[in-house]
Amino acid sequence: MEQAFPKDGHPIRVQVVRSDEGFSVRHVSSQSFLVVRAPTSAAISRRRLVELVSTWRLPEDDDSHMAMTTVVSELVTNAVSHGAGDMLSVTVRADLGRTRLLLEVHDSSPVLPRLRHPSPDSESGRGMVLVEHLSIACGAENTVQGKRVWAELALPREPAGRRWAFDRLGPPHALIQRFRNAFRPLVRTRSGQPTAVSGR
């Protein structure tokens, strides 16, 4: 079952999944947006993707950022060049439980893309090769209104900034203890040295 609730204007879902080991909670974020099928669509889609990743506070590093922006650019560019219709629909779906990001581009053409093997001198035809190389899985399928081309990418386990903070300051329980110690009242010992009062 899924329960939707808003966060920063974008839908976030908590998905409760039943398995042999019981129930587990997965945090799933999903957003779709429309762009005009035009040469500027790739840049607009990249910008919207970066905004969503920031809004959802997804884990990200240099490699995953490069992969996701390149893949969404290539999927949209392919739909602009070989698709049909005035509009494209782009869907971004993040599953933190699986550390996966799914990118989809829908257009009105039923013609599915073919994976080409361009020669070194070719000036085009490398888009889907890049998508296949940068993604965990990718594919295309027909829909009622045309086709859906998708790619699934891996997200880092945790943000680099958070890892840096933990390495520098310690794990959460250590941070809490440090804050408690900072606010304990000081008393003077017989030697005249201040010491913290232990509290519960």
Side-chain angles (χ1 to χ4, degrees):
M1 60 182 170
E2 292 188 2
Q3 180 181 2
F5 58 94
K7 174 183 176 185
D8 298 332
H10 300 289
I12 308 292
R13 292 179 175 84
V14 172
Q15 187 175 41
V16 181
V17 182
R18 184 173 183 178
S19 66
D20 294 338
E21 299 177 355
F23 291 92
S24 61
V25 177
R26 285 166 39 192
H27 295 274
V28 180
S29 307
S30 182
Q31 177 76 35
S32 296
F33 57 88
L34 296 173
V35 291
V36 176
R37 185 170 156 263
T40 56
S41 299
I44 294 170
S45 299
R46 276 197 310 272
R47 186 166 62 249
R48 291 294 302 275
L49 172 62
V50 170
E51 290 172 356
L52 289 175
V53 168
S54 175
T55 298
W56 293 340
R57 298 178 179 89
L58 298 181
E60 181 186 17
D61 56 21
D62 291 342
D63 291 338
S64 62
H65 179 86
M66 181 275 294
M68 65 179 69
T69 53
T70 301
V71 167
V72 78
S73 293
E74 295 300 336
L75 292 180
V76 171
T77 299
N78 188 72
V80 169
S81 300
H82 306 291
D86 297 328
M87 306 293 294
L88 302 175
S89 174
V90 180
T91 298
V92 181
R93 179 181 172 89
D95 187 336
L96 291 182
R98 298 176 56 241
T99 61
R100 296 288 184 265
L101 183 74
L102 179 66
L103 302 173
E104 301 179 4
V105 177
H106 300 249
D107 73 83
S108 301
S109 171
V111 181
L112 300 179
R114 291 181 300 170
L115 186 63
R116 302 178 183 178
H117 298 283
S119 66
D121 298 331
S122 300
E123 297 182 359
S124 62
R126 295 185 177 86
M128 295 309 294
V129 175
L130 267 176
V131 170
E132 184 184 42
H133 177 72
L134 294 172
S135 60
I136 297 171
C138 60
E141 60 187 10
N142 291 115
T143 62
V144 175
Q145 298 179 340
K147 70 173 175 290
R148 162 186 174 260
V149 185
W150 59 272
E152 188 176 41
L153 295 92
L155 293 172
R157 285 293 176 182
E158 59 185 24
R162 184 177 301 169
R163 286 197 301 270
W164 177 86
F166 283 175
D167 290 343
R168 185 179 178 86
L169 301 175
H173 66 274
L175 295 178
I176 293 171
Q177 189 62 46
R178 288 177 63 183
F179 278 111
R180 285 180 178 169
N181 292 338
F183 290 101
R184 285 180 181 168
L186 295 177
V187 296
R188 296 278 175 180
T189 64
R190 289 182 182 178
S191 64
Q193 295 298 321
T195 184
V197 175
S198 61
R200 294 181 181 179

